[in-house]
Amino acid sequence: LETIQHPANSLLGFENLQSAENKALFVQALNAGTTIVSEPKGATYHLVSAVKDKITGKVFGFLQTSFDVGRVISDAMNEAELQQSFTIYDRAMPSNPFMKSSGASEVEWRSSLWVVDRALELELTPTAQLLAKVASWQSYVVLLGGLLCVVVLEGVLLIIMTRQRFISQQVKSKTRELALAKEEAEKASKAKTEFLANMSHELRTPLNSVIGFTRRVLKRSESALDQRSLEALAIVEKNGHHLLGLINDLLDLTKIEAGKLELDISSISVGPLLNSVVQEFKPQADKNESELLLDVRFDGVIEGDATRVRQIVLNLISNAIKFTHNGTITLCCKQRYHQGKEGVLIQVLDTGVGISEADLDNLFNKFQKVSSTQPINPDGTGLGLALVKEICAMHHGWVQVESKPKQSSKRR
């Protein structure tokens, strides 16, 4: 805390915190968040303001300015006749004036001067000596009032400018910190993307070999192996395909984040593509005792990446079959215009368990799955629908879902 020595040997500054009265003034300024003015000590007022960070609310310190009404008056009125004609007091303390007029006539002029929330009253009762000496006293009154206003204004401006300087410095500091944090986050994201891309390639190659050799063993040794061994190999093949699908999805998402996934645009016959997907998934639907239907009302072609469009439909159908037992899944396609452009609307409707409203917001986020409280919740990584959303966006399209728990879902 800094101690400031007043020229008139009146000790001012933060050492006044040793006084309970002054300490209360600082606490009041801290709590109020505005400039606080003390009661006058003698003829001196103290203005105190707490400087806070507007973002964190942290207090950096206090600003204090003081002015002595008596010194201002003596500097402004150096003639005894003028000083003897004025009465100046704090409105809250009228019985203790800073200056008392000795004039016997009535008050000729009265005005108020506000120091934040305290009012100084100025009254002129001219003495006979002043009237004899000065023909016009208005100029002195204006001078006195002007000087008092200037002193108060300087104190307030000092507090405001210092506070703005603190805020400006904090804004610059926070801006530098955010820029550094953004740069570090971008570096980390780039390193993560490169790592995932490299690891996905390294994992996919040996996994394809495991799946291939498992399939060959199953075909060649079906009669030589016992039932338990055949079931174990079937599980290895199934999990291998599951892991390979996960790696492929992860690699595709990594490429999209890095901006390296390119679309092979060509003309696509939508009907045959959707029919092939339905035929591929019919065995899975039959296993769940569900019916998989196709409803195509568009007999044309669209421009897009056939592999990626098929990937979108595969993910949607696979997701619907997982959550639908003893029900119906319908794959629909019809012509649709959006913002004056021709396109198609592909819908997957199912009579499955439905999705809660809380899960809808996270459904297309990476590594997000529906709540485990659902009656049916197959294992999954939550990458499929996130990938669908990204690929749709690359085709200038969008994906959305409508569903309620224990009711049918509609993805399009």
Side-chain angles (χ1 to χ4, degrees), residues 162-221:
T162 307
R163 177 181 294 175
Q164 291 298 327
R165 188 178 299 114
F166 269 108
I167 294 173
S168 177
Q169 291 174 352
Q170 290 302 308
V171 169
K172 290 180 180 178
S173 176
K174 297 297 182 183
T175 302
R176 287 194 297 268
E177 292 177 6
L178 289 174
L180 291 175
K182 180 176 179 292
E183 183 179 350
E184 291 298 325
E186 290 175 348
K187 289 180 180 179
S189 178
K190 182 178 179 181
K192 180 260 305 181
T193 300
E194 293 176 352
F195 171 77
L196 289 177
N198 293 332
M199 286 302 298
S200 297
H201 281 298
E202 295 297 328
L203 290 172
R204 191 162 53 175
T205 300
L207 188 57
N208 278 321
S209 298
V210 170
I211 295 172
F213 279 109
T214 302
R215 187 181 297 115
R216 289 180 62 185
V217 171
L218 282 171
K219 289 182 178 180
R220 293 185 178 184
S221 307

Short mmCIF file of all heavy atoms in Angstrom, two decimals, residues 162-221:
data_model
loop_
_atom_site.label_atom_id
_atom_site.label_comp_id
_atom_site.label_asym_id
_atom_site.label_seq_id
_atom_site.Cartn_x
_atom_site.Cartn_y
_atom_site.Cartn_z
N THR A 162 -8.13 6.03 -14.93
CA THR A 162 -7.30 4.97 -14.37
C THR A 162 -8.01 3.62 -14.46
O THR A 162 -7.40 2.60 -14.79
CB THR A 162 -6.97 5.27 -12.89
OG1 THR A 162 -6.39 6.57 -12.80
CG2 THR A 162 -5.99 4.25 -12.35
N ARG A 163 -9.30 3.62 -14.20
CA ARG A 163 -10.07 2.38 -14.31
C ARG A 163 -10.05 1.88 -15.76
O ARG A 163 -9.87 0.68 -16.01
CB ARG A 163 -11.50 2.61 -13.85
CG ARG A 163 -12.39 1.39 -14.01
CD ARG A 163 -13.81 1.67 -13.56
NE ARG A 163 -13.88 1.94 -12.14
CZ ARG A 163 -14.98 2.32 -11.51
NH1 ARG A 163 -16.09 2.51 -12.19
NH2 ARG A 163 -14.97 2.52 -10.19
N GLN A 164 -10.24 2.77 -16.72
CA GLN A 164 -10.21 2.36 -18.13
C GLN A 164 -8.86 1.80 -18.52
O GLN A 164 -8.75 0.87 -19.31
CB GLN A 164 -10.56 3.56 -19.02
CG GLN A 164 -12.01 4.02 -18.91
CD GLN A 164 -12.99 2.94 -19.35
OE1 GLN A 164 -12.71 2.16 -20.24
NE2 GLN A 164 -14.14 2.89 -18.69
N ARG A 165 -7.78 2.39 -17.94
CA ARG A 165 -6.44 1.89 -18.24
C ARG A 165 -6.27 0.46 -17.72
O ARG A 165 -5.71 -0.40 -18.39
CB ARG A 165 -5.39 2.82 -17.62
CG ARG A 165 -3.97 2.49 -18.05
CD ARG A 165 -2.97 3.46 -17.46
NE ARG A 165 -3.24 4.82 -17.89
CZ ARG A 165 -3.63 5.79 -17.08
NH1 ARG A 165 -3.83 5.53 -15.80
NH2 ARG A 165 -3.85 7.00 -17.54
N PHE A 166 -6.77 0.23 -16.50
CA PHE A 166 -6.71 -1.14 -15.95
C PHE A 166 -7.48 -2.11 -16.83
O PHE A 166 -7.00 -3.20 -17.14
CB PHE A 166 -7.29 -1.15 -14.52
CG PHE A 166 -6.28 -0.92 -13.45
CD1 PHE A 166 -6.25 0.26 -12.74
CD2 PHE A 166 -5.35 -1.91 -13.14
CE1 PHE A 166 -5.31 0.48 -11.74
CE2 PHE A 166 -4.41 -1.70 -12.15
CZ PHE A 166 -4.39 -0.50 -11.44
N ILE A 167 -8.69 -1.73 -17.22
CA ILE A 167 -9.53 -2.61 -18.04
C ILE A 167 -8.88 -2.88 -19.39
O ILE A 167 -8.85 -4.01 -19.87
CB ILE A 167 -10.92 -1.98 -18.24
CG1 ILE A 167 -11.66 -1.92 -16.89
CG2 ILE A 167 -11.74 -2.76 -19.25
CD1 ILE A 167 -12.98 -1.17 -16.95
N SER A 168 -8.31 -1.83 -20.00
CA SER A 168 -7.65 -2.00 -21.28
C SER A 168 -6.47 -2.96 -21.19
O SER A 168 -6.27 -3.83 -22.06
CB SER A 168 -7.17 -0.64 -21.80
OG SER A 168 -6.47 -0.78 -23.02
N GLN A 169 -5.69 -2.84 -20.12
CA GLN A 169 -4.57 -3.75 -19.93
C GLN A 169 -5.02 -5.19 -19.74
O GLN A 169 -4.42 -6.12 -20.28
CB GLN A 169 -3.74 -3.29 -18.72
CG GLN A 169 -3.00 -1.99 -18.94
CD GLN A 169 -2.32 -1.50 -17.66
OE1 GLN A 169 -2.51 -2.05 -16.58
NE2 GLN A 169 -1.53 -0.44 -17.78
N GLN A 170 -6.12 -5.37 -19.00
CA GLN A 170 -6.63 -6.72 -18.78
C GLN A 170 -7.18 -7.33 -20.07
O GLN A 170 -6.99 -8.51 -20.34
CB GLN A 170 -7.73 -6.70 -17.71
CG GLN A 170 -7.21 -6.42 -16.32
CD GLN A 170 -6.15 -7.45 -15.91
OE1 GLN A 170 -6.37 -8.65 -15.98
NE2 GLN A 170 -5.01 -6.96 -15.47
N VAL A 171 -7.85 -6.51 -20.88
CA VAL A 171 -8.37 -7.00 -22.16
C VAL A 171 -7.24 -7.45 -23.07
O VAL A 171 -7.29 -8.50 -23.70
CB VAL A 171 -9.23 -5.92 -22.84
CG1 VAL A 171 -9.55 -6.31 -24.28
CG2 VAL A 171 -10.52 -5.69 -22.07
N LYS A 172 -6.17 -6.65 -23.13
CA LYS A 172 -5.02 -7.02 -23.95
C LYS A 172 -4.39 -8.31 -23.45
O LYS A 172 -4.00 -9.18 -24.23
CB LYS A 172 -4.00 -5.88 -23.95
CG LYS A 172 -4.45 -4.64 -24.70
CD LYS A 172 -3.38 -3.56 -24.64
CE LYS A 172 -3.82 -2.30 -25.39
NZ LYS A 172 -2.81 -1.23 -25.31
N SER A 173 -4.28 -8.42 -22.11
CA SER A 173 -3.69 -9.62 -21.55
C SER A 173 -4.53 -10.86 -21.86
O SER A 173 -4.00 -11.90 -22.26
CB SER A 173 -3.54 -9.46 -20.03
OG SER A 173 -3.06 -10.65 -19.43
N LYS A 174 -5.86 -10.75 -21.68
CA LYS A 174 -6.74 -11.88 -21.96
C LYS A 174 -6.73 -12.24 -23.44
O LYS A 174 -6.79 -13.42 -23.81
CB LYS A 174 -8.17 -11.55 -21.52
CG LYS A 174 -8.34 -11.32 -20.02
CD LYS A 174 -8.01 -12.58 -19.23
CE LYS A 174 -8.23 -12.36 -17.74
NZ LYS A 174 -7.85 -13.54 -16.94
N THR A 175 -6.64 -11.22 -24.31
CA THR A 175 -6.60 -11.47 -25.74
C THR A 175 -5.35 -12.25 -26.12
O THR A 175 -5.39 -13.20 -26.93
CB THR A 175 -6.64 -10.14 -26.52
OG1 THR A 175 -7.84 -9.43 -26.16
CG2 THR A 175 -6.64 -10.40 -28.02
N ARG A 176 -4.22 -11.88 -25.53
CA ARG A 176 -2.98 -12.62 -25.81
C ARG A 176 -3.08 -14.06 -25.31
O ARG A 176 -2.65 -15.00 -25.99
CB ARG A 176 -1.80 -11.91 -25.13
CG ARG A 176 -1.38 -10.62 -25.81
CD ARG A 176 -0.01 -10.16 -25.32
NE ARG A 176 -0.04 -9.87 -23.89
CZ ARG A 176 -0.28 -8.66 -23.40
NH1 ARG A 176 -0.51 -7.65 -24.22
NH2 ARG A 176 -0.29 -8.45 -22.10
N GLU A 177 -3.67 -14.24 -24.12
CA GLU A 177 -3.82 -15.59 -23.58
C GLU A 177 -4.72 -16.44 -24.46
O GLU A 177 -4.43 -17.62 -24.72
CB GLU A 177 -4.39 -15.52 -22.16
CG GLU A 177 -3.44 -14.92 -21.14
CD GLU A 177 -4.07 -14.79 -19.77
OE1 GLU A 177 -5.22 -15.27 -19.62
OE2 GLU A 177 -3.44 -14.23 -18.86
N LEU A 178 -5.83 -15.86 -24.94
CA LEU A 178 -6.74 -16.61 -25.81
C LEU A 178 -6.09 -16.96 -27.14
O LEU A 178 -6.30 -18.06 -27.67
CB LEU A 178 -8.01 -15.79 -26.05
CG LEU A 178 -8.95 -15.63 -24.86
CD1 LEU A 178 -10.10 -14.68 -25.21
CD2 LEU A 178 -9.51 -16.98 -24.45
N ALA A 179 -5.29 -16.03 -27.68
CA ALA A 179 -4.60 -16.31 -28.94
C ALA A 179 -3.61 -17.46 -28.78
O ALA A 179 -3.51 -18.35 -29.65
CB ALA A 179 -3.88 -15.05 -29.43
N LEU A 180 -2.87 -17.45 -27.67
CA LEU A 180 -1.92 -18.55 -27.42
C LEU A 180 -2.65 -19.87 -27.21
O LEU A 180 -2.22 -20.92 -27.71
CB LEU A 180 -1.07 -18.22 -26.18
CG LEU A 180 -0.07 -17.07 -26.34
CD1 LEU A 180 0.61 -16.76 -25.00
CD2 LEU A 180 1.00 -17.42 -27.38
N ALA A 181 -3.78 -19.82 -26.46
CA ALA A 181 -4.55 -21.04 -26.23
C ALA A 181 -5.11 -21.59 -27.54
O ALA A 181 -5.12 -22.80 -27.77
CB ALA A 181 -5.69 -20.77 -25.25
N LYS A 182 -5.58 -20.69 -28.41
CA LYS A 182 -6.12 -21.11 -29.72
C LYS A 182 -5.02 -21.76 -30.56
O LYS A 182 -5.23 -22.79 -31.21
CB LYS A 182 -6.71 -19.91 -30.45
CG LYS A 182 -7.28 -20.22 -31.82
CD LYS A 182 -7.93 -18.99 -32.41
CE LYS A 182 -8.50 -19.26 -33.79
NZ LYS A 182 -7.45 -19.52 -34.78
N GLU A 183 -3.84 -21.16 -30.53
CA GLU A 183 -2.73 -21.71 -31.31
C GLU A 183 -2.33 -23.10 -30.80
O GLU A 183 -2.09 -24.02 -31.58
CB GLU A 183 -1.54 -20.76 -31.23
CG GLU A 183 -0.34 -21.20 -32.07
CD GLU A 183 0.81 -20.22 -31.99
OE1 GLU A 183 0.62 -19.11 -31.44
OE2 GLU A 183 1.91 -20.56 -32.46
N GLU A 184 -2.30 -23.25 -29.46
CA GLU A 184 -1.95 -24.56 -28.89
C GLU A 184 -3.02 -25.60 -29.21
O GLU A 184 -2.71 -26.76 -29.50
CB GLU A 184 -1.80 -24.43 -27.37
CG GLU A 184 -0.58 -23.61 -26.94
CD GLU A 184 0.73 -24.25 -27.39
OE1 GLU A 184 0.80 -25.49 -27.41
OE2 GLU A 184 1.66 -23.51 -27.73
N ALA A 185 -4.30 -25.18 -29.16
CA ALA A 185 -5.39 -26.11 -29.47
C ALA A 185 -5.33 -26.56 -30.92
O ALA A 185 -5.56 -27.74 -31.24
CB ALA A 185 -6.74 -25.45 -29.18
N GLU A 186 -5.00 -25.63 -31.82
CA GLU A 186 -4.89 -26.01 -33.24
C GLU A 186 -3.74 -26.97 -33.47
O GLU A 186 -3.85 -27.91 -34.25
CB GLU A 186 -4.71 -24.75 -34.08
CG GLU A 186 -5.97 -23.87 -34.16
CD GLU A 186 -5.72 -22.58 -34.90
OE1 GLU A 186 -4.53 -22.25 -35.15
OE2 GLU A 186 -6.71 -21.89 -35.23
N LYS A 187 -2.62 -26.75 -32.77
CA LYS A 187 -1.49 -27.67 -32.90
C LYS A 187 -1.86 -29.06 -32.38
O LYS A 187 -1.53 -30.07 -33.00
CB LYS A 187 -0.28 -27.12 -32.13
CG LYS A 187 0.36 -25.90 -32.76
CD LYS A 187 1.55 -25.43 -31.92
CE LYS A 187 2.22 -24.21 -32.54
NZ LYS A 187 3.36 -23.73 -31.71
N ALA A 188 -2.54 -29.09 -31.23
CA ALA A 188 -2.94 -30.36 -30.66
C ALA A 188 -3.92 -31.09 -31.56
O ALA A 188 -3.85 -32.31 -31.75
CB ALA A 188 -3.55 -30.15 -29.27
N SER A 189 -4.87 -30.34 -32.15
CA SER A 189 -5.85 -30.95 -33.05
C SER A 189 -5.18 -31.52 -34.29
O SER A 189 -5.51 -32.62 -34.75
CB SER A 189 -6.90 -29.91 -33.45
OG SER A 189 -7.83 -30.46 -34.34
N LYS A 190 -4.21 -30.79 -34.83
CA LYS A 190 -3.49 -31.27 -36.00
C LYS A 190 -2.70 -32.53 -35.68
O LYS A 190 -2.69 -33.50 -36.46
CB LYS A 190 -2.55 -30.17 -36.52
CG LYS A 190 -1.80 -30.56 -37.78
CD LYS A 190 -0.92 -29.41 -38.26
CE LYS A 190 -0.16 -29.81 -39.52
NZ LYS A 190 0.73 -28.72 -39.99
N ALA A 191 -2.04 -32.54 -34.52
CA ALA A 191 -1.26 -33.72 -34.12
C ALA A 191 -2.18 -34.92 -33.92
O ALA A 191 -1.86 -36.05 -34.31
CB ALA A 191 -0.49 -33.42 -32.84
N LYS A 192 -3.36 -34.67 -33.30
CA LYS A 192 -4.32 -35.76 -33.10
C LYS A 192 -4.82 -36.32 -34.42
O LYS A 192 -4.92 -37.54 -34.60
CB LYS A 192 -5.49 -35.24 -32.26
CG LYS A 192 -6.57 -36.25 -31.95
CD LYS A 192 -7.79 -36.15 -32.83
CE LYS A 192 -8.43 -34.81 -32.84
NZ LYS A 192 -9.64 -34.73 -33.68
N THR A 193 -5.12 -35.42 -35.37
CA THR A 193 -5.62 -35.86 -36.68
C THR A 193 -4.58 -36.69 -37.41
O THR A 193 -4.89 -37.75 -37.99
CB THR A 193 -6.00 -34.63 -37.52
OG1 THR A 193 -7.01 -33.89 -36.83
CG2 THR A 193 -6.52 -35.04 -38.88
N GLU A 194 -3.33 -36.24 -37.39
CA GLU A 194 -2.27 -36.99 -38.07
C GLU A 194 -2.04 -38.34 -37.41
O GLU A 194 -1.84 -39.36 -38.08
CB GLU A 194 -0.97 -36.17 -38.06
CG GLU A 194 -1.05 -34.90 -38.91
CD GLU A 194 0.22 -34.07 -38.80
OE1 GLU A 194 1.08 -34.42 -37.95
OE2 GLU A 194 0.34 -33.08 -39.56
N PHE A 195 -2.11 -38.36 -36.07
CA PHE A 195 -1.91 -39.63 -35.36
C PHE A 195 -3.01 -40.63 -35.70
O PHE A 195 -2.74 -41.80 -35.99
CB PHE A 195 -1.89 -39.36 -33.85
CG PHE A 195 -1.92 -40.62 -33.02
CD1 PHE A 195 -0.77 -41.38 -32.85
CD2 PHE A 195 -3.10 -41.04 -32.41
CE1 PHE A 195 -0.79 -42.53 -32.09
CE2 PHE A 195 -3.13 -42.18 -31.65
CZ PHE A 195 -1.98 -42.94 -31.49
N LEU A 196 -4.28 -40.17 -35.67
CA LEU A 196 -5.39 -41.07 -35.97
C LEU A 196 -5.33 -41.58 -37.41
O LEU A 196 -5.61 -42.76 -37.67
CB LEU A 196 -6.72 -40.35 -35.73
CG LEU A 196 -7.08 -40.08 -34.28
CD1 LEU A 196 -8.39 -39.30 -34.20
CD2 LEU A 196 -7.21 -41.38 -33.49
N ALA A 197 -4.95 -40.71 -38.33
CA ALA A 197 -4.86 -41.14 -39.73
C ALA A 197 -3.80 -42.21 -39.90
O ALA A 197 -4.01 -43.24 -40.56
CB ALA A 197 -4.55 -39.93 -40.62
N ASN A 198 -2.63 -41.99 -39.29
CA ASN A 198 -1.55 -42.98 -39.41
C ASN A 198 -1.91 -44.29 -38.73
O ASN A 198 -1.68 -45.38 -39.28
CB ASN A 198 -0.27 -42.41 -38.81
CG ASN A 198 0.28 -41.24 -39.61
OD1 ASN A 198 0.05 -41.15 -40.82
ND2 ASN A 198 0.99 -40.34 -38.96
N MET A 199 -2.47 -44.20 -37.52
CA MET A 199 -2.81 -45.41 -36.79
C MET A 199 -3.93 -46.19 -37.48
O MET A 199 -3.93 -47.42 -37.49
CB MET A 199 -3.23 -45.06 -35.36
CG MET A 199 -2.08 -44.65 -34.47
SD MET A 199 -0.81 -45.93 -34.36
CE MET A 199 -1.73 -47.27 -33.62
N SER A 200 -4.89 -45.48 -38.07
CA SER A 200 -5.97 -46.17 -38.76
C SER A 200 -5.44 -46.99 -39.92
O SER A 200 -5.86 -48.13 -40.15
CB SER A 200 -7.00 -45.15 -39.26
OG SER A 200 -7.59 -44.47 -38.18
N HIS A 201 -4.51 -46.43 -40.68
CA HIS A 201 -3.90 -47.18 -41.79
C HIS A 201 -3.14 -48.39 -41.27
O HIS A 201 -3.23 -49.50 -41.83
CB HIS A 201 -2.96 -46.27 -42.58
CG HIS A 201 -3.68 -45.36 -43.52
ND1 HIS A 201 -4.44 -45.82 -44.57
CD2 HIS A 201 -3.77 -44.01 -43.56
CE1 HIS A 201 -4.96 -44.78 -45.23
NE2 HIS A 201 -4.57 -43.68 -44.63
N GLU A 202 -2.38 -48.18 -40.18
CA GLU A 202 -1.56 -49.28 -39.65
C GLU A 202 -2.43 -50.41 -39.09
O GLU A 202 -2.06 -51.58 -39.16
CB GLU A 202 -0.63 -48.74 -38.55
CG GLU A 202 0.41 -47.75 -39.04
CD GLU A 202 1.37 -48.38 -40.04
OE1 GLU A 202 1.66 -49.59 -39.92
OE2 GLU A 202 1.83 -47.66 -40.95
N LEU A 203 -3.58 -50.07 -38.51
CA LEU A 203 -4.44 -51.09 -37.94
C LEU A 203 -5.27 -51.81 -39.00
O LEU A 203 -5.56 -53.00 -38.88
CB LEU A 203 -5.39 -50.46 -36.92
CG LEU A 203 -4.76 -49.97 -35.62
CD1 LEU A 203 -5.79 -49.21 -34.79
CD2 LEU A 203 -4.21 -51.14 -34.81
N ARG A 204 -5.66 -51.10 -40.05
CA ARG A 204 -6.55 -51.69 -41.04
C ARG A 204 -5.89 -52.79 -41.84
O ARG A 204 -6.52 -53.80 -42.17
CB ARG A 204 -7.08 -50.59 -41.98
CG ARG A 204 -8.21 -51.03 -42.87
CD ARG A 204 -8.96 -49.88 -43.46
NE ARG A 204 -8.08 -48.93 -44.12
CZ ARG A 204 -8.52 -47.87 -44.79
NH1 ARG A 204 -9.82 -47.65 -44.85
NH2 ARG A 204 -7.69 -47.06 -45.37
N THR A 205 -4.61 -52.64 -42.15
CA THR A 205 -3.92 -53.65 -42.96
C THR A 205 -3.86 -55.02 -42.28
O THR A 205 -4.29 -56.02 -42.86
CB THR A 205 -2.51 -53.15 -43.31
OG1 THR A 205 -2.62 -51.92 -44.04
CG2 THR A 205 -1.76 -54.18 -44.14
N PRO A 206 -3.36 -55.13 -41.03
CA PRO A 206 -3.34 -56.46 -40.40
C PRO A 206 -4.74 -56.98 -40.09
O PRO A 206 -4.97 -58.19 -40.10
CB PRO A 206 -2.55 -56.23 -39.11
CG PRO A 206 -2.66 -54.77 -38.83
CD PRO A 206 -2.72 -54.11 -40.18
N LEU A 207 -5.71 -56.08 -39.84
CA LEU A 207 -7.05 -56.53 -39.54
C LEU A 207 -7.71 -57.17 -40.76
O LEU A 207 -8.43 -58.18 -40.65
CB LEU A 207 -7.89 -55.35 -39.05
CG LEU A 207 -9.28 -55.68 -38.50
CD1 LEU A 207 -9.19 -56.68 -37.35
CD2 LEU A 207 -9.97 -54.41 -38.02
N ASN A 208 -7.46 -56.63 -41.94
CA ASN A 208 -7.98 -57.25 -43.17
C ASN A 208 -7.41 -58.66 -43.34
O ASN A 208 -8.12 -59.57 -43.79
CB ASN A 208 -7.63 -56.39 -44.38
CG ASN A 208 -8.60 -55.23 -44.56
OD1 ASN A 208 -9.79 -55.39 -44.36
ND2 ASN A 208 -8.09 -54.07 -44.94
N SER A 209 -6.14 -58.83 -42.96
CA SER A 209 -5.53 -60.16 -43.05
C SER A 209 -6.20 -61.13 -42.07
O SER A 209 -6.48 -62.29 -42.41
CB SER A 209 -4.03 -60.08 -42.76
OG SER A 209 -3.38 -59.27 -43.72
N VAL A 210 -6.46 -60.67 -40.85
CA VAL A 210 -7.12 -61.53 -39.85
C VAL A 210 -8.49 -61.97 -40.35
O VAL A 210 -8.86 -63.15 -40.28
CB VAL A 210 -7.25 -60.78 -38.51
CG1 VAL A 210 -8.14 -61.56 -37.54
CG2 VAL A 210 -5.88 -60.53 -37.89
N ILE A 211 -9.26 -61.02 -40.90
CA ILE A 211 -10.60 -61.35 -41.39
C ILE A 211 -10.52 -62.31 -42.57
O ILE A 211 -11.28 -63.30 -42.65
CB ILE A 211 -11.35 -60.06 -41.78
CG1 ILE A 211 -11.59 -59.18 -40.55
CG2 ILE A 211 -12.67 -60.38 -42.48
CD1 ILE A 211 -12.15 -57.81 -40.87
N GLY A 212 -9.60 -62.04 -43.48
CA GLY A 212 -9.46 -62.90 -44.66
C GLY A 212 -9.07 -64.32 -44.31
O GLY A 212 -9.67 -65.29 -44.81
N PHE A 213 -8.08 -64.49 -43.46
CA PHE A 213 -7.65 -65.83 -43.08
C PHE A 213 -8.71 -66.55 -42.25
O PHE A 213 -8.87 -67.78 -42.35
CB PHE A 213 -6.32 -65.77 -42.31
CG PHE A 213 -5.12 -65.63 -43.21
CD1 PHE A 213 -4.41 -64.43 -43.27
CD2 PHE A 213 -4.71 -66.69 -43.99
CE1 PHE A 213 -3.30 -64.31 -44.10
CE2 PHE A 213 -3.60 -66.57 -44.82
CZ PHE A 213 -2.90 -65.38 -44.88
N THR A 214 -9.43 -65.81 -41.41
CA THR A 214 -10.52 -66.44 -40.64
C THR A 214 -11.59 -66.99 -41.57
O THR A 214 -12.11 -68.10 -41.38
CB THR A 214 -11.13 -65.42 -39.67
OG1 THR A 214 -10.12 -64.91 -38.80
CG2 THR A 214 -12.22 -66.07 -38.83
N ARG A 215 -11.93 -66.21 -42.60
CA ARG A 215 -12.94 -66.67 -43.56
C ARG A 215 -12.46 -67.91 -44.31
O ARG A 215 -13.22 -68.85 -44.56
CB ARG A 215 -13.27 -65.54 -44.53
CG ARG A 215 -14.44 -65.86 -45.47
CD ARG A 215 -14.71 -64.72 -46.43
NE ARG A 215 -15.11 -63.51 -45.72
CZ ARG A 215 -14.40 -62.40 -45.70
NH1 ARG A 215 -13.23 -62.35 -46.32
NH2 ARG A 215 -14.82 -61.36 -45.06
N ARG A 216 -11.17 -67.93 -44.67
CA ARG A 216 -10.63 -69.10 -45.40
C ARG A 216 -10.64 -70.34 -44.52
O ARG A 216 -10.99 -71.44 -44.98
CB ARG A 216 -9.20 -68.80 -45.85
CG ARG A 216 -9.11 -67.77 -46.98
CD ARG A 216 -7.68 -67.52 -47.38
NE ARG A 216 -7.06 -68.74 -47.91
CZ ARG A 216 -5.77 -68.82 -48.25
NH1 ARG A 216 -4.98 -67.76 -48.09
NH2 ARG A 216 -5.28 -69.94 -48.73
N VAL A 217 -10.31 -70.18 -43.25
CA VAL A 217 -10.32 -71.33 -42.34
C VAL A 217 -11.72 -71.87 -42.19
O VAL A 217 -11.95 -73.09 -42.17
CB VAL A 217 -9.72 -70.92 -40.97
CG1 VAL A 217 -9.93 -72.04 -39.95
CG2 VAL A 217 -8.24 -70.61 -41.11
N LEU A 218 -12.71 -70.96 -42.09
CA LEU A 218 -14.09 -71.39 -41.95
C LEU A 218 -14.56 -72.18 -43.17
O LEU A 218 -15.27 -73.19 -43.05
CB LEU A 218 -15.00 -70.18 -41.73
CG LEU A 218 -15.02 -69.58 -40.31
CD1 LEU A 218 -15.78 -68.26 -40.30
CD2 LEU A 218 -15.64 -70.56 -39.33
N LYS A 219 -14.17 -71.74 -44.35
CA LYS A 219 -14.61 -72.41 -45.57
C LYS A 219 -13.92 -73.75 -45.77
O LYS A 219 -14.55 -74.74 -46.18
CB LYS A 219 -14.35 -71.51 -46.78
CG LYS A 219 -15.27 -70.31 -46.85
CD LYS A 219 -14.98 -69.49 -48.10
CE LYS A 219 -15.94 -68.30 -48.21
NZ LYS A 219 -15.67 -67.49 -49.43
N ARG A 220 -12.63 -73.81 -45.49
CA ARG A 220 -11.87 -75.02 -45.78
C ARG A 220 -11.98 -76.07 -44.68
O ARG A 220 -11.78 -77.25 -44.93
CB ARG A 220 -10.40 -74.67 -45.99
CG ARG A 220 -10.15 -73.82 -47.24
CD ARG A 220 -8.66 -73.62 -47.47
NE ARG A 220 -8.40 -72.87 -48.68
CZ ARG A 220 -7.17 -72.61 -49.15
NH1 ARG A 220 -6.11 -73.08 -48.48
NH2 ARG A 220 -7.01 -71.94 -50.26
N SER A 221 -12.23 -75.62 -43.46
CA SER A 221 -12.18 -76.56 -42.34
C SER A 221 -13.54 -76.76 -41.68
O SER A 221 -13.62 -77.18 -40.54
CB SER A 221 -11.17 -76.07 -41.30
OG SER A 221 -9.93 -75.81 -41.86
#
